[in-house]
Amino acid sequence: MKIVLAEKVSPATLAVFQEEPNWQIVTPDQIKNGLAAELADADALIVRSAVQADAKLLESAPKLRIIGRAGVGVDNIDADAATHRGIVVMNTPGANAIAVAELTIGLMITMARFIPRANATMHAGKWDKKTLQGQELRGKTLGIIGLGRIGQEVARRARSFGMELIGYDPFVAPVIARENGVGLAPLDEVFRKADYLTLHVGLTPQTEGLINATSLATMKKGVRIVNCARGELINDAALAEAIQAGKIGGAALDVFSQEPLKESPYHGLENVILSPHIGGSTDEAQEAIGIQLAQQVRDYLKLGVVQNAVNFPSLTHEEYQQVAPYVEMAERLGAFLSHATPGNLENIQINYAGRLAQGKTELVRNASISGILADSDNVNRINAAAVAQERGIRLQEEKKEFASGGAGSVLKLTLHSASGVSSGSATVLHGSSPRLLSFDGIDIEAPLTGTLVVIRNHDVPGVIGRIGTILGEHRINIANFALGRNVRSQSVPQGQALAVVQIDVPSAAAANDALAALRKVEAIVSVRLVELGKI
């Protein structure tokens, strides 16, 4: 593995990568011919906020598998371009949660006790005690917008000051809010009741300009606002106007729409505290961010575990351990079916049943599609769904709590085209053995590993013997021979049978000659060679 550290990281971060034998680590001072040239054979890129990992830069990184952002914001990374190229983009949310929460509380105290003005007047030789009478946080209502990791840490600390806590977050379970002493309320109620209001949400179309002239008008007179999240959450002109009018008692802002901050309506406003985006700027936070990112990147490159990805569903190590065998099985089932669909693929239907349906299935879905589209360029488990969408292939998913047939978890793929339909189902046995359970309506139990010969034939005597004889004549050993057949009917009086034969291949020429001989057998309808490789 080659890891390119495009920006400076802590020694502890570097040490995580250096523990891996045979990994080449390129530090910023070792990049001599430009970042693009260094990425030509790189597996991973580590950035902070300065490097722009845009589509042009990614064009020079054909082997790149992951971009790690040491921090939360990924504005400097083209996630769409990365997804298209099958590159995971990871960040490190929560690693700086304590640092941001402590700054939030510190800014609240600073506003309540007029600390900047007290400091300035003392340095000016004044003893201006009478104008510096402040307020206690005890008994005040703190409104918390966003109860993620940082919001929860703020709540825990604010409780120790005796504050009343109300919060708004439609994506947090009520039990989490209760555990942190926060009463959930509608957004407008939080605005109306808060003496202090702190923002801890990400930037989305719904949250952009959350603090605006309309929301400010609903707030208490004298409310103080803290923003250590994203500058775009606040309409700066509206907030500055409300502060000048005396509606808003003050604001403490660590983030801004344009950084670094140059011209601003806040300049000159005494009751506005400005800091240069220092929320996560503590020694401990930077160390934690770097170590967490290095561990995430290492685990992805070595184990395939996706954590804190912004362009792909994340799994914990434990979740990955549970789903990994089914991910492998899904890709193999997709590859098994990939050449069985007549005509151009139009629709993929994915059915999950049993325990598999009860967990996170996005990686299983993408693995299925990756196997189906394996012969296409640059398709992997990260970009498979996006590639399918680009090609106009519709995806349908269905989950059922129970699986029939005795298997604990079953995956079924159905591939539709204008010319017909092909389907197959599979499961995992013994913890790690992917097994085919059915193919085009015929029940069968066969391994989804190694080299398989898939044979359709009329259900008549002598076919199995002919298959064995022909393979033997070409010195091809049979490792497993699985059989299945459908029910005879008036439309198919002689019935159809299916054989999936796992073979040891002495040479490609021998395999081709054997397939040609099998196709000459009158009762055999079709013969297909499927290479699935070993586990």
Side-chain angles (χ1 to χ4, degrees):
M1 300 292 179
K2 179 179 178 181
I3 318 298
V4 176
L5 309 176
E7 300 182 57
K8 187 177 180 180
V9 298
S10 69
T13 304
L14 189 60
V16 173
F17 290 123
Q18 290 175 332
E19 289 174 359
E20 298 300 325
N22 303 319
W23 281 28
Q24 179 188 357
I25 314 301
V26 179
T27 58
D29 57 312
Q30 294 173 328
I31 300 174
K32 304 301 183 184
N33 299 314
L35 182 57
E38 205 65 64
L39 291 176
D41 58 347
D43 297 278
L45 169 64
I46 307 299
V47 301
R48 297 185 70 84
S49 58
V51 170
Q52 295 296 313
D54 53 21
K56 183 178 180 181
L57 181 66
L58 298 184
E59 287 176 0
S60 60
K63 288 182 58 185
L64 200 65
R65 296 167 56 191
I66 182 170
I67 300 172
R69 163 68 163 95
V72 179
V74 291
D75 297 354
N76 57 318
I77 300 172
D78 190 332
D80 290 336
T83 301
H84 182 74
R85 291 181 169 275
I87 302 169
V88 175
V89 179
M90 288 182 180
N91 63 355
T92 50
N96 63 352
I98 301 297
V100 177
E102 288 185 356
L103 179 63
T104 299
I105 297 295
L107 291 173
M108 290 165 56
I109 295 173
T110 299
M111 286 191 290
R113 302 304 300 270
F114 306 113
I115 293 173
R117 184 148 52 91
N119 178 66
T121 55
M122 288 294 289
H123 279 286
K126 300 178 182 178
W127 188 266
D128 200 7
K129 186 174 180 179
K130 291 182 180 180
T131 65
L132 295 171
Q133 183 163 316
Q135 296 178 334
E136 296 178 3
L137 296 184
R138 178 174 56 91
K140 303 300 186 297
T141 298
L142 172 62
I144 306 174
I145 309 299
L147 290 167
R149 297 177 187 177
I150 297 174
Q152 291 177 39
E153 294 293 348
V154 169
R156 294 184 186 115
R157 285 152 181 78
R159 286 173 64 189
S160 68
F161 283 87
M163 300 189 80
E164 299 292 329
L165 308 181
I166 59 172
Y168 170 78
D169 191 328
F171 306 108
V172 70
V175 64
I176 298 298
R178 286 197 301 271
E179 287 175 354
N180 289 281
V182 181
L184 291 177
L187 185 60
D188 58 349
E189 183 177 337
V190 176
F191 286 153
R192 288 199 314 271
K193 292 184 175 180
D195 296 303
Y196 288 82
L197 185 71
T198 182
L199 308 179
H200 300 290
V201 294
L203 179 62
T204 69
Q206 290 72 37
T207 61
E208 185 173 8
L210 183 69
I211 306 302
N212 53 48
T214 302
S215 59
L216 289 166
T218 67
M219 296 180 191
K220 276 184 180 180
K221 180 178 174 61
V223 63
R224 293 182 167 105
I225 298 172
V226 181
N227 186 14
C228 293
R230 292 294 297 267
E232 294 88 345
L233 302 177
I234 295 178
N235 182 310
D236 294 323
L239 178 57
E241 183 178 343
I243 291 171
Q244 289 173 318
K247 168 69 175 179
I248 304 301
L253 310 175
D254 185 52
V255 288
F256 308 93
S257 301
Q258 297 293 326
E259 296 183 0
L261 185 67
K262 294 180 180 178
E263 296 182 2
S264 170
Y266 304 119
H267 287 164
L269 298 183
E270 188 180 56
N271 50 348
V272 176
I273 298 169
L274 305 177
S275 55
H277 203 153
I278 60 172
S281 298
T282 66
D283 294 338
E284 296 85 352
Q286 293 307 302
E287 189 90 338
I289 287 170
I291 293 172
Q292 178 181 320
L293 181 62
Q295 291 171 341
Q296 289 177 192
V297 171
R298 179 198 62 194
D299 289 350
Y300 177 69
L301 292 176
K302 292 182 66 177
L303 305 173
V305 180
V306 181
Q307 303 170 75
N308 295 320
V310 301
N311 63 337
F312 194 74
S314 297
L315 299 174
T316 65
H317 181 74
E318 291 74 17
E319 288 172 332
Y320 180 80
Q321 291 294 101
Q322 293 175 2
V323 79
Y326 295 96
V327 172
E328 184 67 30
M329 174 268 286
E331 188 159 31
R332 289 171 179 271
L333 179 60
F336 181 87
L337 294 175
S338 62
H339 297 294
T341 305
N344 290 344
L345 186 60
E346 296 179 350
N347 182 70
I348 300 173
Q349 184 174 342
I350 307 174
N351 295 81
Y352 313 92
R355 291 190 303 272
L356 183 61
Q358 299 167 15
K360 296 179 181 179
T361 55
E362 291 89 347
L363 192 53
V364 177
R365 175 203 65 195
N366 273 29
S368 302
I369 302 167
S370 177
I372 294 166
L373 303 180
D375 289 339
S376 303
D377 291 336
N378 191 33
V379 179
N380 60 28
R381 295 174 185 174
I382 304 304
N383 65 359
V387 171
Q389 185 177 18
E390 283 179 4
R391 299 182 182 188
I393 301 171
R394 297 186 301 276
L395 301 177
Q396 295 174 279
E397 295 179 85
E398 182 179 336
K399 296 183 178 183
K400 294 182 178 180
E401 186 175 350
F402 300 103
S404 60
S409 295
V410 175
L411 176 72
K412 182 179 180 181
L413 303 180
T414 305
L415 280 55
H416 299 263
S417 74
S419 304
V421 178
S422 184
S423 66
S425 64
T427 190
V428 176
L429 299 180
H430 312 300
S432 61
S433 177
R435 309 290 288 190
L436 182 70
L437 297 180
S438 70
F439 177 46
D440 284 350
I442 298 178
D443 291 338
I444 196 167
E445 207 262 283
L448 283 172
T449 58
T451 302
L452 306 178
V453 181
V454 183
I455 302 170
R456 292 177 179 273
N457 61 278
H458 299 303
D459 191 7
V460 297
V463 177
I464 295 174
R466 290 291 296 135
I467 294 172
T469 299
I470 291 172
L471 292 177
E473 289 173 348
H474 291 82
R475 304 186 67 80
I476 294 176
N477 188 50
I478 296 175
N480 187 282
F481 202 128
L483 296 169
R485 66 179 183 175
N486 62 9
V487 179
R488 296 172 185 262
S489 64
Q490 287 186 340
S491 60
V492 190
Q494 61 184 162
Q496 292 288 315
L498 172 68
V500 177
V501 187
Q502 187 184 50
I503 61 173
D504 300 328
V505 183
S507 68
N512 291 333
D513 291 344
L515 295 181
L518 288 170
R519 292 186 179 107
K520 293 177 181 179
V521 176
E522 184 177 352
I524 291 179
V525 177
S526 67
V527 178
R528 185 165 59 98
L529 189 71
V530 179
E531 290 282 2
L532 295 180
K534 297 180 180 180
I535 297 254

